[in-house]
Amino acid sequence: MTSDHLFVYGTLMRGFEHPMAKLLSANADFLGAAQCRGRLYLVKHYPGLVTSDDPADIVHGELFRLRAREAMLREFDMYEACGEGFAPPTEYIREQLAVTLADGSASEAWTYLYNWPVTELPQIASGRFLEQ
């Protein structure tokens, strides 16, 4: 089952003056604040999410429902420089993972996972990019 949900945790969140954030807002329905299990690192001026098996590792973000899933995922793949035409290992990879909304309901959503080593990167302990 391919999800039409997208979990974002960085510069694609609402309130950013980024063209891709505006593209997302214009072509998706905001479902609410959501979280997933993982660790957040500050890569440069943007964050990277890596999965974690530790229930204490929580990353906070926003969940959207994409209206034109395939077209939108292609756009975001280009933005994140992953998928077809990009030499591996790409900085990000798009994968589906479990996310939980504020009301406790669970969903599968696409997100972009950081795919390069994080040993030299500072961790965003709060799991919230906006609070780094």
Side-chain angles (χ1 to χ4, degrees), residues 107-125:
S107 174
E108 283 279 312
W110 290 108
T111 197
Y112 290 90
L113 300 177
Y114 192 69
N115 193 37
W116 288 352
V118 295
T119 46
E120 304 295 316
L121 299 177
Q123 184 174 351
I124 302 171

Side-chain angles (χ1 to χ4, degrees), residues 6-120:
L6 180 67
F7 175 74
V8 298
Y9 54 86
T11 55
L12 293 176
M13 289 193 296
R14 296 175 314 150
F16 275 88
E17 287 300 309
H18 193 286
M20 293 305 283
K22 291 177 177 171
L23 180 75
L24 177 60
S25 293
N27 292 280
D29 303 310
F30 175 66
L31 300 179
Q35 61 187 40
C36 72
R37 190 176 291 179
R39 286 192 293 274
L40 205 56
Y41 293 89
L42 187 62
V43 182
K44 290 180 185 157
H45 56 280
Y46 55 88
L49 164 65
V50 295
T51 56
S52 170
D53 294 327
D54 185 340
D57 290 336
I58 300 293
V59 171
H60 301 269
E62 297 175 345
L63 189 63
F64 289 85
R65 179 183 294 114
L66 300 173
R67 295 194 199 112
R69 182 187 72 208
E70 292 305 320
M72 285 294 97
L73 288 176
R74 270 197 305 275
E75 288 286 337
F76 294 117
D77 284 356
M78 290 296 290
Y79 171 61
E80 303 290 0
C82 67
E84 278 185 45
F86 293 96
T90 53
E91 187 176 14
Y92 289 89
I93 50 173
R94 176 164 51 88
E95 290 190 1
Q96 286 189 121
L97 81 174
V99 297
T100 308
L101 284 156
D103 66 5
S105 62
S107 174
E108 283 279 312
W110 290 108
T111 197
Y112 290 90
L113 300 177
Y114 192 69
N115 193 37
W116 288 352
V118 295
T119 46
E120 304 295 316

